[in-house]
Amino acid sequence: MNKSNKKGVYKITNNEGALCNVNTANKSSAFYGQHWAGVCESYLNGKVIAGKLDRYRYRSNNGEPENANPTGFVVKIGSKIEAFLPMSLTCKFRDFTAEFPKERIAVMVEDFDPKSSNVIVRELKVTDSNFDINLVNEALTLIGMANEEGKYVMGTIIGESLNKKKNRAGYIVSINGVEAFLPSSHALIPFFDIQNVIGHNVFCSVEEINIDRMSIILSATVPYEKLLQGQPAPELRSETRGLVGWVTPYNTYVFLSNNILGIIPRSLNQNISHGDWINLTGRIVVCIPYKKKVWNPSMQDFQYFISLKERR
């Protein structure tokens, strides 16, 4: 059984069944230091650790590469630990015919053999190389809880994902630096130029976590349906709740219950900056409808002009 007992000492069984004591607290140990402790914590408990792409690794015969295609990357963890990242466990394409940036990446340890000191890692999708490793681990905990317990997470749109026809398939969402995917079919935001959508927050359920592909699939429609659809239909001059959806230079749009859209004219709220409106996206607000805007009377298609309830 793999486990840790006293602080800094880990019991790890390798693939041959040998039980090894890995002492990361003793300075005379070959595994001394926080980076080896991180490897053990990642292998035993799924903790994410930071590494840096260092060079390609090739299948070799007597020290010579068998072909020009690398089998993966050598990843440096700290200054001394060299882990192997197989191509099959990377999360994005890198052109092996060209030089690659020695970028900082987030990894989980797939396998660790203390007898040989061999470490194999899997790459995790993060939004950029300046990620905060503590925030990444916190985000993964929240994402896991949301997936298991039917709760929700808040993320921020940072880009778009295109399909093979170069059409928008969905949005790339950052959850404290962890990259997730929000399909267009599960997003509540109309089709705008992506530059007008970046920075919007989205309140989402976690629909799927694919460990093999290290992908996280979100839905913004599920929280809306569960949190607002059970409410009474909004009425003029009566308080109601809504989910702030998106912001334009002229209006802020709020999803009300019963599939009704609320509009807050920004001209009536000039004391609120564009950034402040963006920060409200993805959040539940209390508002008051004050005017009905009818689009198609026969279809009962209408929207409400609304105002935010003043906070006391």
Side-chain angles (χ1 to χ4, degrees), residues 12 14-15 36 38-44 46-49 51 57 71-77 81-90 105-114 116-124 214:
I12 294 178
N14 70 3
N15 291 331
W36 276 117
V39 168
C40 294
E41 289 288 344
S42 182
Y43 181 54
L44 296 175
K47 181 180 178 181
V48 179
I49 56 177
R57 176 177 286 184
T71 57
F73 296 90
V74 174
V75 175
K76 281 288 190 72
I77 300 171
I81 303 172
E82 293 193 345
F84 176 50
L85 172 62
M87 286 295 186
S88 60
L89 298 183
T90 60
I105 62 173
V107 297
M108 288 182 176
V109 175
E110 283 281 296
D111 194 21
F112 172 37
D113 184 355
S116 61
S117 298
N118 287 339
V119 180
I120 298 174
V121 296
R122 175 190 294 272
E123 185 180 9
L124 175 75
M214 294 302 284

Side-chain angles (χ1 to χ4, degrees), residues 121-147:
V121 296
R122 175 190 294 272
E123 185 180 9
L124 175 75
K125 286 184 179 179
V126 290
T127 54
D128 64 65
S129 61
N130 294 320
F131 59 87
D132 182 318
I133 197 65
N134 293 321
L135 290 179
V136 166
N137 278 291
E138 288 176 13
L140 287 175
T141 299
L142 293 174
I143 291 166
M145 290 175 58
N147 184 51

Side-chain angles (χ1 to χ4, degrees), residues 263-279:
I263 306 170
I264 304 176
R266 289 185 54 185
S267 59
L268 302 180
N269 299 270
Q270 295 185 12
N271 60 321
I272 303 178
S273 70
H274 184 77
D276 289 337
W277 283 119
I278 293 291
N279 287 338

